[in-house]
Amino acid sequence: MKSKYVMVKDEIKSWILQGKVSPHEKIGTENDIMEIFDVSRHTVRQAIGDLEKEGWIYRWQGKGTFCADQSKRSKSHSYKTIGVITTYISEYIFSSIIRGIESYLSSTDYMFILTSTNNNIEKEKKCIDSILARNVDAIIVEPTKSAIYNPNINYYLNMETNNIPYVMLNALYPQLQAPSLTMDEEQGGYIATEHLIQLGHKKIIGIFKADDLQGVNRMNGFIRAHRAHNVPIIPGLIISYNTEDPREKIQNEIIHLFNNHKYDITAIFSYNDAIALYIINFFRELNINVPEDVSVVGYDDSYLAEMSEVKLTSVIHPKRTMGLDAAKLIVDLIEGKQQGSQLQSVIYKPELVVRTSTATAKT
Amino acid sequence: MKSKYVMVKDEIKSWILQGKVSPHEKIGTENDIMEIFDVSRHTVRQAIGDLEKEGWIYRWQGKGTFCADQSKRSKSHSYKTIGVITTYISEYIFSSIIRGIESYLSSTDYMFILTSTNNNIEKEKKCIDSILARNVDAIIVEPTKSAIYNPNINYYLNMETNNIPYVMLNALYPQLQAPSLTMDEEQGGYIATEHLIQLGHKKIIGIFKADDLQGVNRMNGFIRAHRAHNVPIIPGLIISYNTEDPREKIQNEIIHLFNNHKYDITAIFSYNDAIALYIINFFRELNINVPEDVSVVGYDDSYLAEMSEVKLTSVIHPKRTMGLDAAKLIVDLIEGKQQGSQLQSVIYKPELVVRTSTATAKT
DNA sequence: CCGTATTTGTTCGTATGTATT
DNA sequence: CAATACATACGAACAAATACG
């Protein structure tokens, strides 16, 4: 004699197997099922609860009970684990992002495996291999060398066919249409540059990272701000560098520019706070004062910005929020609470914090 | 807010992970559990039911509820994975340690799951639970509130019986004899203080964290240096703080001490670089100059040390090396390349980097 | 072997909380 | 804001399996 809840369970399972309900179609409310089988709500919940644990259906408080996606079932996946691929672990931005990810995930049952690529495409490949081998439920990835063609695109396409959700942080591979969390870097470059122009600066050095999209976009904003305010762009004042370049290269180029345009250059827009502080540091040794002689704008609004005696004017990066949102989004994706069509990528709007590293241009 | 049945569930799970119940041992009847947690039978059954589905226990009608055999629990997953439990992810020291761990592990087939406790014992418990539930091969842990008795010791003892190796970073629980990687904090406190004394300072404020062993040991070194050089120790000049305390508390105490001993205090030894820079920052606002008016010594030799216009004299912490060595040691332990008897804990010897934040005492 | 107490399994009822529409 | 649907929680009763004198 089968018990009632087992009968209910078997019957609902057969609906699914017969295709009477399709994936993501509503099964019926608990009340419906109570009436259909003439049992109590508790019995229905016992049956439904079992089916959920076994992966046949999923429940959503306030909405209803739905047929699960069968293609996802029966995978011997590792228990609630998310892979995180960063470029640099130690970079100040990313440790904030990781903290955001961690603080959200710690409120769920998910944990994460952390890897870093050191912005190296070979290593990114190795990271993806290792992570996928562990059957993670999803991946959060900060693209490596996003400005350059990435030969690992196939991995990501393959994840899509295998229903492994992934989100991109900070940048995105243009070939992929994955959900992403980025900031409007172009606008960030724009407002930082505009701030300098409005202070009367006209000869502004821009320092940008050339091998990731963030750098390219910030540069575009830098250029647009010049155009918008009718300030001529001097190509020689744009300094590009790559991940592998030593910092001294930047120092040498700046000193070279200062020697050539000695009394002209009055401001610098730096790709990030670390470079900005590096510059302020060697300016100190050269007896160039910030902001009296040169104004400097950073990017990221890291805690470095307030560490020195000169407090950096900087563009705010939503570090922690970005990590939190990414974790939340990926968990929603895993648990089917977001449909493919709804995938709303987030673009954070930049803001500028004005501190003491910028001042009116000398006349 | 966790629901009751989840609390019951988590607690019973932790009994198993701590080894309070052995495989096939009876957990207790539903009635027992009802009394222990003061909940209804329904709630108990919900918790127990979940745990059964997840394979932690098995039930036998008429007999009771028993602990499942952990060794049989779906060993399939967690392929070559190490759990890492930190206190703070974002803290500058730990991101270097993590980088060290990552850079060694990336040369092997191991990966790591990262969690943080925020120096909170409850959260440490949760971290260990989650990590052990994923059948990791080993654990690297930075002890939480190491100066205070830690109720999670059972977990570590149970790991030993289950042959899960673990190493401790930065501090160790005195009750455990696990391999550990620490620095000689006492000596670090000693050389920093000695440096100040040799510069002629006699009234030195010492700021120490009270709830971890590193702080306690650094303070011991601070005291020993005074004794060794026949400088009287003024108890009122030692400032203790806890993880939860706001930084303003330190600021207020320092200002208070300065007002009371106005022309006496000439130096400060700070628990770490972050606090040291915080102090230098508010000194700047008060027009107290470092090192002319006060010398400041930090600890950790983080990159913060060179960020400001005043470069911090600081005790070197082997951050990255420590992470690397820990990763190497734990992999050796997993693969049996180290025998129990050989387990050589490492104690790093501190060194002092003298920069511009310290100078001869005013006379 | 029987009977009783114990322990888990099934089922119903009821109330309140929380998320979604 | 109200209605709907799932989530949590307490209580009660009876059934079925087991243990033990």
Side-chain angles (χ1 to χ4, degrees):
Chain A
M1 174 54 190
K2 274 198 288 191
S3 53
K4 286 191 190 178
Y5 86 93
V6 174
M7 281 168 49
V8 173
K9 206 176 132 180
D10 287 349
E11 180 61 22
I12 294 176
K13 203 190 293 179
S14 83
W15 292 350
I16 296 169
L17 290 172
Q18 288 174 51
K20 285 185 181 172
V21 284
S22 323
H24 306 297
E25 187 186 333
K26 196 163 180 173
I27 298 267
T29 71
E30 291 177 352
N31 266 311
D32 294 342
I33 297 170
M34 281 167 69
E35 281 178 25
I36 292 171
F37 296 95
D38 190 29
V39 291
S40 74
R41 176 143 181 248
H42 188 276
T43 305
V44 171
R45 284 188 60 76
Q46 206 170 350
I48 299 267
D50 271 22
L51 289 171
E52 187 182 35
K53 282 264 173 193
E54 290 166 21
W56 295 96
I57 58 166
Y58 63 92
R59 296 190 279 191
W60 195 334
Q61 186 176 142
K63 284 186 78 170
T65 305
F66 306 86
C67 179
D69 191 341
Q70 283 309 102
S71 63
K72 273 187 161 182
R73 246 179 59 79
S74 77
K75 264 201 301 187
S76 68
H77 55 223
S78 72
Y79 182 69
K80 292 196 172 188
T81 308
I82 291 166
V84 176
I85 301 175
T86 78
T87 50
Y88 303 104
I89 284 178
S90 58
E91 214 216 7
Y92 55 99
I93 286 297
F94 222 86
S95 70
S96 292
I97 294 178
I98 291 170
R99 197 169 87 233
I101 294 175
E102 202 271 342
S103 72
Y104 181 77
L105 291 187
S106 73
S107 73
T108 70
D109 284 338
Y110 288 88
M111 302 192 84
F112 67 101
I113 293 175
L114 182 63
T115 59
S116 77
T117 67
N118 290 319
N119 216 16
N120 174 314
I121 286 170
E122 283 304 308
K123 219 190 148 208
E124 185 190 31
K125 182 179 156 74
K126 207 192 145 205
C127 287
I128 303 175
D129 273 341
S130 310
I131 283 183
L132 288 180
R134 282 168 178 76
N135 285 317
V136 294
D137 297 290
I139 294 180
I140 294 173
V141 56
E142 182 191 32
T144 284
K145 297 220 176 185
S146 47
I148 298 171
Y149 170 73
N150 186 303
N152 299 324
I153 297 286
N154 281 336
Y155 278 96
Y156 296 102
L157 294 174
N158 195 38
M159 282 181 227
E160 285 176 25
T161 59
N162 289 332
N163 281 316
I164 299 174
Y166 62 95
V167 302
M168 301 267 170
L169 284 188
N170 271 335
L172 53 158
Y173 297 122
Q175 302 90 336
L176 299 173
Q177 288 167 354
S180 61
L181 299 142
T182 53
M183 66 181 296
D184 188 341
E185 309 280 357
E186 203 269 351
Q187 180 69 8
Y190 181 88
I191 59 172
T193 312
E194 183 175 54
H195 169 67
L196 291 171
I197 291 173
Q198 286 174 342
L199 286 171
H201 298 280
K202 292 200 177 338
K203 300 269 170 81
I204 306 170
I205 296 182
I207 301 168
F208 303 99
K209 199 166 183 187
D211 56 1
D212 72 25
L213 270 183
Q214 298 175 280
V216 173
N217 290 333
R218 287 173 199 180
M219 182 172 73
N220 291 340
F222 178 79
I223 293 170
R224 181 163 66 89
H226 279 77
R227 294 233 169 87
H229 291 83
N230 290 317
V231 177
I233 299 159
I234 304 166
L237 295 188
I238 292 180
I239 300 177
S240 292
Y241 72 101
N242 287 305
T243 304
E244 296 79 10
D245 293 338
R247 282 198 173 173
E248 288 69 31
K249 193 192 154 202
I250 296 172
Q251 177 170 359
N252 293 337
E253 291 202 38
I254 291 177
I255 292 174
H256 185 251
L257 287 174
F258 263 69
N259 289 338
N260 280 10
H261 301 255
K262 203 152 193 166
Y263 301 100
D264 289 350
I265 291 166
T266 58
I268 298 182
F269 170 46
S270 159
Y271 172 75
N272 64 21
D273 286 353
I275 302 278
L277 274 184
Y278 171 74
I279 293 169
I280 291 177
N281 254 313
F282 75 71
F283 274 179
R284 194 150 39 217
E285 286 162 24
L286 299 172
N287 282 321
I288 300 174
N289 294 316
V290 176
E292 293 78 5
D293 301 327
V294 191
S295 288
V296 176
V297 176
Y299 203 113
D300 289 338
D301 187 37
S302 65
Y303 57 84
L304 297 177
E306 298 204 305
M307 273 302 166
S308 188
E309 85 286 9
V310 180
K311 317 285 188 222
L312 267 182
T313 295
S314 188
V315 179
I316 295 178
H317 186 295
K319 306 171 271 292
R320 188 147 187 275
T321 312
M322 184 183 270
L324 240 134
D325 291 346
K328 186 157 165 37
L329 176 58
I330 204 83
V331 170
D332 282 353
L333 284 169
I334 294 168
E335 304 194 333
K337 293 193 175 176
Q338 295 261 354
Q339 297 300 336
S341 56
Q342 295 179 291
L343 291 183
Q344 296 290 359
S345 293
V346 180
I347 297 176
Y348 301 95
K349 284 289 161 198
E351 282 176 53
L352 192 73
V353 203
V354 178
R355 297 201 182 84
T356 63
S357 69
T358 48
T360 314
K362 290 184 295 190
T363 45
Chain B
M1 176 53 188
K2 272 200 291 191
S3 53
K4 287 190 186 177
Y5 86 93
V6 173
M7 281 167 47
V8 173
K9 203 177 137 180
D10 287 350
E11 181 60 24
I12 294 176
K13 204 192 288 181
S14 81
W15 290 351
I16 297 171
L17 291 171
Q18 289 179 54
K20 286 187 181 169
V21 284
S22 321
H24 307 297
E25 187 187 333
K26 195 162 179 172
I27 299 265
T29 70
E30 291 178 353
N31 263 308
D32 294 342
I33 297 169
M34 282 168 68
E35 281 178 26
I36 293 172
F37 296 97
D38 190 29
V39 293
S40 71
R41 180 155 175 238
H42 181 273
T43 305
V44 172
R45 285 189 60 76
Q46 203 171 351
I48 298 270
D50 270 21
L51 289 172
E52 188 183 32
K53 283 266 178 194
E54 290 168 18
W56 294 96
I57 57 166
Y58 60 92
R59 295 191 280 192
W60 198 334
Q61 187 175 154
K63 286 184 79 170
T65 306
F66 306 87
C67 178
D69 190 341
Q70 282 309 100
S71 63
K72 286 186 178 173
R73 239 179 65 82
S74 53
K75 262 275 160 56
S76 59
H77 40 61
S78 100
Y79 175 71
K80 290 196 175 190
T81 307
I82 292 167
V84 177
I85 301 175
T86 77
T87 51
Y88 302 104
I89 283 179
S90 58
E91 216 217 8
Y92 54 97
I93 287 295
F94 222 87
S95 70
S96 293
I97 295 178
I98 290 170
R99 198 169 86 232
I101 294 174
E102 202 272 342
S103 73
Y104 181 78
L105 291 186
S106 72
S107 72
T108 69
D109 285 338
Y110 289 87
M111 303 193 85
F112 68 101
I113 293 176
L114 182 62
T115 59
S116 78
T117 68
N118 291 319
N119 215 19
N120 174 314
I121 286 172
E122 283 304 308
K123 220 190 148 205
E124 184 190 33
K125 185 178 157 70
K126 204 192 148 206
C127 288
I128 306 175
D129 274 344
S130 312
I131 283 184
L132 287 180
R134 283 170 176 75
N135 285 318
V136 294
D137 297 293
I139 293 182
I140 295 173
V141 56
E142 181 190 32
T144 285
K145 299 222 174 179
S146 47
I148 297 171
Y149 170 73
N150 187 302
N152 299 324
I153 297 287
N154 279 335
Y155 281 98
Y156 297 103
L157 295 173
N158 194 41
M159 283 181 224
E160 287 175 24
T161 60
N162 288 337
N163 283 317
I164 300 173
Y166 62 96
V167 303
M168 300 267 168
L169 285 188
N170 271 335
L172 54 156
Y173 297 122
Q175 302 90 334
L176 299 173
Q177 288 166 354
S180 61
L181 300 141
T182 53
M183 67 181 297
D184 188 342
E185 310 279 358
E186 203 271 351
Q187 180 69 10
Y190 182 87
I191 60 172
T193 311
E194 183 176 52
H195 168 68
L196 290 171
I197 292 173
Q198 285 172 344
L199 287 172
H201 298 280
K202 292 201 178 334
K203 300 266 170 83
I204 306 170
I205 295 182
I207 300 168
F208 304 98
K209 200 166 183 186
D211 55 0
D212 73 24
L213 269 183
Q214 298 175 276
V216 173
N217 290 332
R218 287 172 199 179
M219 182 172 71
N220 291 339
F222 178 78
I223 293 170
R224 181 163 66 89
H226 279 76
R227 294 233 167 86
H229 291 83
N230 289 317
V231 176
I233 299 159
I234 304 165
L237 295 187
I238 293 180
I239 298 176
S240 293
Y241 72 100
N242 287 304
T243 305
E244 297 78 11
D245 292 338
R247 282 198 172 173
E248 289 70 31
K249 193 192 153 201
I250 296 171
Q251 176 170 359
N252 293 337
E253 292 202 36
I254 291 177
I255 292 174
H256 185 252
L257 287 174
F258 264 69
N259 288 340
N260 281 8
H261 302 253
K262 203 150 192 168
Y263 301 100
D264 292 348
I265 291 163
T266 59
I268 298 181
F269 170 45
S270 160
Y271 172 75
N272 65 21
D273 286 354
I275 301 279
L277 275 183
Y278 171 74
I279 293 169
I280 291 176
N281 255 313
F282 75 70
F283 274 179
R284 194 150 40 217
E285 286 162 23
L286 299 172
N287 283 320
I288 299 174
N289 294 316
V290 177
E292 293 80 4
D293 301 326
V294 192
S295 288
V296 176
V297 176
Y299 203 113
D300 290 337
D301 187 37
S302 65
Y303 59 83
L304 297 177
E306 298 203 306
M307 272 304 164
S308 188
E309 85 285 11
V310 180
K311 316 287 187 219
L312 266 184
T313 296
S314 188
V315 179
I316 297 178
H317 186 295
K319 306 169 272 290
R320 189 149 186 274
T321 313
M322 184 181 270
L324 241 135
D325 291 348
K328 186 157 164 35
L329 176 57
I330 205 83
V331 170
D332 284 353
L333 284 169
I334 294 168
E335 303 191 336
K337 292 188 182 171
Q338 294 259 357
Q339 296 304 333
S341 56
Q342 293 179 292
L343 290 183
Q344 295 291 359
S345 292
V346 180
I347 298 176
Y348 301 95
K349 283 290 161 199
E351 282 176 52
L352 192 74
V353 203
V354 178
R355 297 201 180 85
T356 63
S357 69
T358 49
T360 313
K362 291 182 296 188
T363 46

